[in-house]
């Protein structure tokens, strides 16, 4: 007997279709929220000033001598964190399927540059 499980995410903010689950923490409390790509972008944009001014903890924060605000490398030379975020947001708005993290496909970067 086969069993198929389908998970449907609903945006916790507006009740629409959610595209992803975003994790974040504040004051030592971890949160997850299911949101659309658009609302994920709104959240990230709202947090940007605080993230850029803060110090990173976890996921490699113990690397001595590293600048926590330096781009962690997208595999695309010459692109920093803000540029990567802009490319990802543009790609989502323009129908590209792209992950939240990791390498940005060259064809997406080229399409962004030639927009």
């Amino acid at each position: 007997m086969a069993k198929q499980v389908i998970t449907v995410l609903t945006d916790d903010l507006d009740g629409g279709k959610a595209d992803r689950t975003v994790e974040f923490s504040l004051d030592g409390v971890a949160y997850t929220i299911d949101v659309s790509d658009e609302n994920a972008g709104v959240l990230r944009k709202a947090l940007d000033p605080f993230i850029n001014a803060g110090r990173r903890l976890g996921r490699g924060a113990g690397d001595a001598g590293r600048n926590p605000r330096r781009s962690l490398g997208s595999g695309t030379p010459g692109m920093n964190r803000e540029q990567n975020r802009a490319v990802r947001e543009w790609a989502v708005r323009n129908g590209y399927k792209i992950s939240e993290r990791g390498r940005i496909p060259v064809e997406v970067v080229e399409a962004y540059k030639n927009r």
Side-chain angles (χ1 to χ4, degrees), residues 72-91:
L72 297 177
S74 66
T76 308
M79 292 187 63
N80 63 32
R81 177 182 282 169
E82 290 77 28
Q83 288 171 320
N84 287 340
R85 187 170 290 126
V87 171
R88 287 182 198 286
E89 289 175 2
W90 175 87

Side-chain angles (χ1 to χ4, degrees), residues 9-13 17-26 29-47 51 59 85 89 92 98-101:
L9 295 177
T10 302
D11 191 304
D12 293 326
L13 292 177
K17 177 184 170 285
D19 300 301
R20 65 188 65 209
T21 300
V22 175
E23 299 176 4
F24 62 98
S25 64
L26 180 64
V29 179
Y31 299 88
T32 63
I33 186 168
D34 298 326
V35 290
S36 65
D37 287 334
E38 181 179 347
N39 283 335
V42 170
L43 174 63
R44 286 185 176 84
K45 188 171 184 177
L47 292 175
I51 291 170
R59 291 190 183 173
R85 187 170 290 126
E89 289 175 2
V92 168
I98 186 168
S99 66
E100 287 182 66
R101 300 182 311 193

